[in-house]
Every structure is written in C-alpha cells, then in structure tokens.
Amino acid sequence: METISEQLTDALGIMILGMSLVFVFLGILILGMKLVAKKYAPVPQEKATVNARQPAVTKPAVSPLMAAVIASAIHQHRQKA
C-alpha cells in the first residue's frame, strides 16, 4: 500500500497534467476560432459620403394643423375643469 505522500504526489501530477491539457486545448480552440473569423469575416462596405454631407430632410412628426387641434382640445378640457 502506498503512503499518503505518494498518493498526494500522484494526484498533484494528474491534476497538473489535466489542467495543462485543458489549457492547451482551449488555446488551440481560441486560435482556431480567430483564424476562421479572420478568413470568413464579411468585408465592410464603404458608406456613401455624399449622403453624410447633406442633412436629411425630415418631416415633422405632427403636422401643424394637428398640433393646433390638439392645443385647442387641451385648452377646452382645461376650461371645463
């Protein structure tokens, strides 16, 4: 029968071996994923600079007529209260 110190030494060696193998495997996995991502990454397209220079013309969210109707309705509601 082995002594406790021999068993602890064997256990420590197995633990270090296992952790080393996991570390190496994960390193290879990360390296492989980076290489695949670099090879098959989508190519970015250049944006048109003409549209960036001109400000976009936006329509108001609420038309002036609708704003006047809403303001009138609020005014009438406040007069009743």
Side-chain angles (χ1 to χ4, degrees), residues 32-53:
M33 288 177 63
K34 285 187 178 186
L35 290 174
V36 168
K38 188 179 283 189
K39 181 173 175 126
Y40 295 109
V43 179
Q45 297 177 353
E46 294 183 20
K47 295 182 180 178
T49 57
V50 175
N51 293 339
R53 294 181 194 161

Side-chain angles (χ1 to χ4, degrees), residues 32-78:
M33 288 177 63
K34 285 187 178 186
L35 290 174
V36 168
K38 188 179 283 189
K39 181 173 175 126
Y40 295 109
V43 179
Q45 297 177 353
E46 294 183 20
K47 295 182 180 178
T49 57
V50 175
N51 293 339
R53 294 181 194 161
Q54 299 173 351
V57 178
T58 59
K59 246 171 91 172
V62 179
S63 68
L65 177 63
M66 187 58 69
V69 170
I70 292 171
S72 174
I74 292 172
H75 179 69
Q76 288 179 5
H77 176 71
R78 288 184 179 165

Side-chain angles (χ1 to χ4, degrees), residues 1-14:
M1 195 170 193
E2 296 181 23
T3 63
I4 190 75
S5 62
E6 291 173 347
Q7 290 177 350
L8 286 175
T9 305
D10 289 342
L12 182 65
I14 292 170

